[in-house]
Amino acid sequence: EEKDFYILNGTKNWITNAPIADIFIIWAVNDKKNIQGFILEKNFPGLSTSLIKNKGSLKISPTGQIILNDVKVPKENLLKISGWKSIFSCLNNARYGISWGTIGAAQTCWLIAKEYSENRIMFKKPLASKQLVQKKLAQMQTEISLGWSACLHAGRAMDRKKDIKIAISMLKRNNCLKALNVARDSRDILGAN
């Protein structure tokens, strides 16, 4: 910490949208071993990013590294909250958002598989007329509906200021697993397509 600014050094890895972000929220440990949050702008001297290439998931968002090399951050960019509780609050909100996003991705996979199976004619009948395909579609939609419902109930509990940290972690884990399974079953229905 200097007179009118803080100096940040270090790297942050696997940061979603780092290569395209204009604003960064950086959590850092100060000299007194306390956690503090800072708002940084892309044009701050000493701040750079890199792109992680060939990642295996969430390919739609460019993920990267944030490199901080003697970045001067004005004191007014210090967040008013600090400590691990603040970090976990941000992480919990991110996990909650991921729970919605993954189940939305599952819904899209299901819609694609449903449409394909209704329009793919095999032996003069739609693929969707086969009981095995119908069973897969029904199971997928059931799991998706349960995922949506869990998100809704978690959100309502958050609105009531309930402490649902553990529930949010389970919700994210559950919806991510559901989405993976739905994507796999959808891919099976699509066959070589």
Side-chain angles (χ1 to χ4, degrees):
E1 179 180 349
E2 299 292 334
K3 187 177 180 183
D4 296 322
F5 54 85
Y6 293 88
I7 298 176
L8 297 183
N9 284 292
T11 58
K12 303 283 184 177
N13 294 308
W14 291 100
I15 307 300
T16 302
N17 295 325
I20 61 169
D22 292 321
I23 302 289
F24 302 88
I25 303 296
I26 301 291
W27 295 97
V29 178
N30 65 18
D31 295 336
K32 297 174 186 169
K33 305 293 182 207
N34 295 324
I35 301 291
Q36 293 183 286
F38 300 88
I39 301 171
L40 280 67
E41 297 175 29
K42 186 176 202 152
N43 61 356
F44 281 8
L47 188 151
S48 62
T49 61
S50 66
L51 175 68
I52 296 172
K53 297 179 181 177
N54 302 319
K55 67 179 185 164
S57 65
L58 282 176
K59 293 181 180 186
I60 192 133
S61 66
T63 300
Q65 183 181 53
I66 300 171
I67 301 105
L68 307 166
N69 190 6
D70 289 332
V71 177
K72 289 184 178 180
V73 182
K75 285 207 173 185
E76 58 265 20
N77 288 36
L78 176 68
L79 294 174
K80 302 282 187 257
I81 55 175
S82 62
W84 288 105
K85 188 175 181 180
S86 300
I87 292 173
F88 287 119
S89 171
C90 291
L91 287 174
N92 285 335
N93 285 326
R95 288 181 183 125
Y96 176 63
I98 290 165
S99 300
W100 281 100
T102 54
I103 216 68
Q107 180 76 29
T108 299
C109 289
W110 178 83
L111 286 167
I112 290 167
K114 177 184 172 291
E115 181 179 315
Y116 174 80
S117 65
E118 289 171 341
N119 293 309
R120 175 73 164 102
I121 306 300
M122 293 183 64
F123 307 108
K124 299 182 182 177
K125 290 185 179 179
L127 183 59
S129 69
K130 306 299 180 196
Q131 285 184 338
L132 183 58
V133 173
Q134 292 170 3
K135 180 183 178 199
K136 283 183 180 183
L137 290 170
Q139 284 177 323
M140 286 189 276
Q141 190 56 53
T142 300
E143 293 302 319
I144 291 166
S145 295
L146 291 170
W148 287 131
S149 180
C151 285
L152 178 63
H153 287 291
R156 287 179 176 165
M158 291 167 69
D159 287 345
R160 293 190 312 272
K161 308 293 185 218
K162 299 287 184 184
D163 181 7
I164 61 166
K165 296 187 288 283
I166 294 169
I168 288 172
S169 290
M170 291 190 306
L171 176 64
K172 178 191 171 227
R173 180 185 179 279
N174 182 66
N175 282 8
C176 287
L177 183 59
K178 285 181 189 311
L180 282 170
N181 290 334
V182 167
R184 288 178 181 128
D185 285 344
S186 296
R187 186 181 57 213
D188 286 348
I189 290 172
L190 293 175
N193 287 310

